[in-house]
Amino acid sequence: MDIIKHFKTLSIVSILNIILKFNLIILDMSIWEHASKRKNAGIKECEAICGYCNKVMKCSGGSTTSLKAHLKSKHGIDSSINPNNEKQVTDEKKPRTMSDYFNRWTLKEIVADLATDGISIRVITRNKYIRDSVTKSGFKLPVNESGVMNLIHADYEDKKIKMFNKIKSQIDSGKKFSMTVDEYTTIRRRRYFGVNLHVSESNKTLQTGLIRIMGSCNAESMVEKITEHLREFGINVEKDIVGSTQDGAAINKKFIGIIKVIEQYCLNHAIHLGVCDTLYKTTAEFNPIEIDSDSSDESDIFEDPLDIQVVQDNLHDSMYYNELLKNARCAVKFIRSSSVRNQVFQDKVKTKFGMEIELHLDVRHRWNSITAMTAPLIKTKNCLIETFNELQMVEIINKLDFISLCTLHESMEPIKLAVEALSSENATLLTAKTIVDFMLHKLSESNSIISLELYDNLKKRIDERWNIDLMSLLKCLNDPSNVPSKNTISFAGKLASRLFGYMETVPQTDSNQTVDVKCTESITYISLKDELNALLQKEKMAPSKTVPDDFKWLKQEFVLFKNTGKRTENLQKLFDALMTIKPTSTDVERVFSICTNFCSKIRSRLSDKSLNALVFLKFQYKK
């Protein structure tokens, strides 16, 4: 209590001094291991006696400066270092900033990030602000362009190793991949293959870069180049690749036949071809109807004159919409080809809508370009009529039937929506089936003739690209009520043999008995490859005999799936593998779009190595 009363009488400054002295005493406790302290009765001051040479030094007010200097100079003992060779923290800590909580980038990462944002190597090397900023960050930027490019190549190699390790860890965990492949020609007339990898349970696409095509390239060379490219990332095509998605070119079909993976052709290409079949056929492409009235052939298709009229009406309808698109293009070109006419039009648009609305032309090889052209035409109908009247070119706008244009736009809307949904990164074959059915259903509901014709052509093109065996197996693996056919069982068994080498067998059970999957245990391991080879050998030796029933274990697992509603481990592996297959090759088309940004008319001297590095790193530094 006396101590507390004493503290109350002290001033704040006195209390702070006492606390400071107490802290100093604590900090200097380690120094007294080398010296002893005593109080001089004559001068009434504290003194320190060196434990090595017995020298006496003053330590007035608890100061140990002279003792520290003596120990360091005479005996080589630095009291600022503790026994663990760590410096004691006596100074005030430097305040942390936001940069202390992030990993600091290296010079090659800074340069690669700048280059992938579209800044040329010359600008990075010569721009004073960039050089000063890099210097302030503690780095020294190379003085020439080749040195800067070498930094990008070094970062490419680092990121490539990281992707290799990531893919290896996924393979070790039992993951399988599918790929999307396509060909691209740059403005320098150099051809490249683009190869992307897709893994289940992840919407992240792995862009592996570009493969240069030197000279002509047949299907065999294509297989060799892509196989060697994937081997650089630790991918074995036979064991790790489930399927490949690409367009329906003849070389791609032969490529699939050689590489022996599941084929899936791009559904977006099918939609594009179906639209072209309906709207972009010229008059010369329509075959005239020839009927010989003197012929008595009973197999004549047109037995009723009414049938002839229906076909002629459909033919006229297709030709009419082709002419409608030509008239729409004529109106758009008339406005866009003159800055004066465009200014007159935009003034009227800004008065009505408060902003400018650009007119666009459709392109035959561009998906969704028809809606991009028809939408602004329909929206600015009144402004267009006023503009053409003011410019005294009424005959151009009078040829444009806005009612038919609205009908065409409404018919193209579900197609546009389907293309965008199919192009998303999380699209799978199961979702693709739902998207396509939705699009065809909306077209069939419409009363317009153009919608029905689009329905027929799209359905025809899309049906050509479905892999029937693949879709049947997916349906059976997704819904236990679907019973797999013999072809589906055979397809699944061969796929499991190729990807997994062997599968676990399950005990036979009564199909009417409900079995708990958790209680079901695997008995033995069977090599399906050896079993299949043995059956093929028997077939060669005795072709007249019927082949025994294959893949009984797979049938039993499907029975379990039907009874329990839960996939077994083997069926789950198959399902995950099939879900990696993409319905379109849009992902690899995005790689070519990025490539166009780097290799342009102004910037066309990049080497194959540099272009591949920039395209690869662009997706690594994707914001």
Side-chain angles (χ1 to χ4, degrees):
M1 294 297 293
D2 295 336
I3 296 175
I4 296 175
K5 289 180 181 179
H6 178 68
F7 266 89
K8 289 182 178 179
T9 59
L10 295 176
S11 63
I12 296 177
V13 177
S14 301
I15 294 174
L16 291 177
N17 289 332
I18 293 172
I19 295 174
L20 180 60
K21 290 181 179 180
F22 182 72
N23 289 335
L24 290 174
I25 291 172
I26 293 175
L27 291 173
D28 290 339
M29 283 179 66
S30 61
I31 200 171
W32 296 111
E33 296 177 1
H34 310 284
S36 59
K37 186 189 295 186
R38 75 180 182 183
K39 189 173 183 179
N40 191 322
I43 60 176
K44 296 182 180 181
E45 290 288 344
C46 290
E47 292 178 343
I49 303 173
C50 179
Y52 300 98
C53 61
N54 295 324
K55 182 178 179 179
V56 179
M57 290 153 285
K58 292 182 180 181
C59 53
S60 301
S63 176
T64 57
T65 304
S66 58
L67 177 59
K68 290 179 181 178
H70 171 76
L71 291 172
K72 186 174 182 180
S73 60
K74 298 298 182 180
H75 306 291
I77 299 173
D78 189 356
S79 60
S80 63
I81 301 178
N82 60 19
N84 295 326
N85 295 327
E86 295 178 355
K87 288 187 177 181
Q88 295 181 354
V89 181
T90 58
D91 298 333
E92 184 181 357
K93 291 185 178 180
K94 184 180 178 181
R96 285 178 173 265
T97 61
M98 289 297 296
S99 59
D100 295 326
Y101 295 93
F102 298 96
N103 293 330
R104 192 183 182 195
W105 281 19
T106 61
L107 178 59
K108 56 188 175 183
E109 289 175 330
I110 294 173
V111 172
D113 188 50
L114 291 172
T116 54
D117 280 340
I119 303 176
S120 66
I121 308 302
R122 177 171 297 180
V123 172
I124 295 174
T125 307
R126 300 184 181 183
N127 185 271
K128 187 177 182 302
Y129 179 77
I130 293 177
R131 296 195 68 88
D132 291 344
S133 300
V134 172
T135 303
K136 288 179 181 179
S137 299
F139 301 106
K140 184 178 180 181
L141 194 66
V143 295
N144 52 34
E145 297 172 16
S146 60
V148 173
M149 200 70 226
N150 289 336
L151 290 174
I152 296 175
H153 290 162
D155 191 49
Y156 163 72
E157 294 297 334
D158 290 346
K159 297 296 188 292
K160 186 176 179 181
I161 292 173
K162 287 183 180 180
M163 181 177 287
F164 174 87
N165 294 332
K166 180 179 179 181
I167 292 175
K168 185 178 183 302
S169 64
Q170 290 175 331
I171 293 175
D172 293 341
S173 63
K175 300 292 184 183
K176 300 299 177 182
F177 300 84
S178 287
M179 60 182 178
T180 50
V181 182
D182 207 349
E183 180 186 337
Y184 170 69
T185 304
T186 65
I187 197 170
R188 295 184 68 185
R189 311 310 301 167
R190 292 187 176 185
R191 293 194 301 157
Y192 299 89
F193 283 126
V195 181
N196 288 356
L197 294 176
H198 310 274
V199 65
S200 61
E201 300 178 1
S202 175
N203 298 330
K204 180 74 173 178
T205 300
L206 300 177
Q207 285 84 5
T208 62
L210 302 172
I211 309 171
R212 175 67 194 278
I213 304 173
M214 306 296 293
S216 61
C217 181
N218 54 21
E220 289 79 6
S221 299
M222 182 178 176
V223 171
E224 182 180 352
K225 289 178 180 295
I226 292 177
T227 303
E228 180 63 28
H229 178 73
L230 293 178
R231 192 178 293 118
E232 295 178 2
F233 293 91
I235 296 288
N236 185 317
V237 173
E238 182 178 357
K239 295 181 180 180
D240 300 325
I241 298 297
V242 183
S244 176
T245 304
Q246 51 220 5
D247 58 34
I251 187 174
N252 288 332
K253 294 180 179 179
K254 190 174 181 181
F255 164 79
I256 289 294
I258 298 174
I259 205 169
K260 295 180 180 179
V261 298
I262 299 176
E263 76 277 5
Q264 175 59 48
Y265 300 111
C266 179
L267 297 181
N268 274 345
H269 281 81
I271 293 176
H272 173 230
L273 292 174
V275 172
C276 289
D277 291 343
T278 308
L279 299 174
Y280 287 104
K281 279 188 176 180
T282 60
T283 307
E285 292 179 84
F286 290 100
N287 297 323
I289 303 173
E290 296 182 1
I291 300 177
D292 188 1
S293 58
D294 297 333
S295 176
S296 59
D297 188 2
E298 296 180 357
S299 64
D300 193 348
I301 299 175
F302 303 107
E303 297 179 355
D304 191 343
L306 185 60
D307 295 336
I308 302 176
Q309 185 62 38
V310 170
V311 174
Q312 289 178 342
D313 289 342
N314 293 338
L315 181 63
H316 178 269
D317 186 71
S318 298
M319 296 172 64
Y320 171 75
Y321 277 97
N322 187 16
E323 193 69 25
L324 176 66
L325 290 175
K326 289 182 180 179
N327 294 335
R329 287 187 215 109
C330 183
V332 173
K333 289 178 181 179
F334 180 79
I335 297 295
R336 286 165 54 99
S337 60
S338 170
S339 59
V340 176
R341 293 194 289 264
N342 184 66
Q343 187 62 47
V344 174
F345 170 69
Q346 293 297 344
D347 288 342
K348 299 182 184 301
V349 172
K350 288 177 69 175
T351 302
K352 184 172 183 179
F353 298 99
M355 62 179 182
E356 292 187 356
I357 298 176
E358 295 294 332
L359 299 180
H360 303 280
L361 286 170
D362 67 322
V363 184
R364 179 168 181 163
H365 59 269
R366 178 79 63 181
W367 302 328
N368 304 335
S369 62
I370 294 179
T371 54
M373 180 178 69
T374 56
L377 285 175
I378 296 170
K379 187 175 182 178
T380 61
K381 171 185 175 181
N382 295 330
C383 299
L384 283 169
I385 294 174
E386 293 176 7
T387 302
F388 279 94
N389 286 334
E390 183 176 333
L391 298 174
Q392 297 181 356
M393 296 295 293
V394 184
E395 63 274 9
I396 296 178
I397 198 66
N398 286 342
K399 291 181 180 179
L400 189 57
D401 184 359
F402 281 96
I403 297 177
S404 300
L405 199 66
C406 290
T407 303
L408 177 60
H409 181 76
E410 292 174 358
S411 300
M412 293 300 299
E413 275 297 316
I415 299 176
K416 175 186 176 182
L417 183 63
V419 170
E420 292 174 351
L422 289 172
S423 302
S424 63
E425 290 187 350
N426 59 353
T428 63
L429 287 175
L430 290 177
T431 60
K433 181 63 176 174
T434 303
I435 293 167
V436 169
D437 291 343
F438 171 81
M439 177 188 68
L440 295 176
H441 176 69
K442 289 297 180 182
L443 290 174
S444 64
E445 281 185 339
S446 178
N447 296 324
S448 62
I449 299 177
I450 189 64
S451 295
L452 298 178
E453 189 169 353
L454 282 169
Y455 172 86
D456 292 336
N457 289 328
L458 288 172
K459 190 174 186 305
K460 176 184 175 183
R461 288 288 188 176
I462 292 173
D463 288 345
E464 292 174 353
R465 302 206 168 208
W466 283 124
N467 187 324
I468 298 176
D469 292 333
L470 173 60
M471 294 306 298
S472 298
L473 178 57
L474 261 179
K475 289 179 181 178
C476 294
L477 290 172
N478 186 57
D479 186 359
S481 63
N482 294 322
V483 179
S485 63
K486 290 184 178 180
N487 291 335
T488 302
I489 292 290
S490 177
F491 177 78
K494 293 176 182 178
L495 178 63
S497 176
R498 177 173 70 86
L499 294 178
F500 306 109
Y502 63 86
M503 301 293 284
E504 299 179 357
T505 59
V506 297
Q508 295 184 0
T509 56
D510 187 2
S511 59
N512 296 324
Q513 182 181 0
T514 303
V515 181
D516 189 1
V517 176
K518 295 182 180 179
C519 298
T520 305
E521 297 182 356
S522 302
I523 298 178
T524 57
Y525 293 98
I526 297 177
S527 173
L528 294 180
K529 189 174 182 180
D530 295 340
E531 183 181 353
L532 182 60
N533 291 335
L535 292 173
L536 292 175
Q537 189 67 24
K538 288 181 180 180
E539 184 179 6
K540 291 180 181 179
M541 298 178 63
S544 59
K545 296 182 180 180
T546 59
V547 180
D549 194 11
D550 292 340
F551 309 116
K552 291 183 179 179
W553 63 269
L554 195 54
K555 293 180 181 179
Q556 296 170 12
E557 296 206 3
F558 272 110
V559 171
L560 286 174
F561 180 39
K562 181 179 180 181
N563 292 336
T564 63
K566 297 180 180 179
R567 300 185 195 94
T568 61
E569 181 181 354
N570 295 330
L571 294 185
Q572 187 64 46
K573 287 181 179 179
L574 277 176
F575 182 75
D576 291 340
L578 295 179
M579 290 297 286
T580 62
I581 302 177
K582 292 295 179 180
T584 69
S585 59
T586 306
D587 277 313
V588 75
E589 298 284 351
R590 294 189 179 102
V591 175
F592 301 150
S593 298
I594 296 297
C595 186
T596 304
N597 295 338
F598 293 121
C599 186
S600 60
K601 291 181 179 180
I602 299 176
R603 188 185 182 189
S604 60
R605 295 180 60 187
L606 287 170
S607 65
D608 298 332
K609 182 179 179 181
S610 298
L611 182 61
N612 177 41
L614 288 171
V615 172
F616 181 86
L617 290 173
K618 177 63 179 179
F619 291 95
Q620 301 298 315
Y621 290 98
K622 189 175 181 180
K623 305 293 189 296

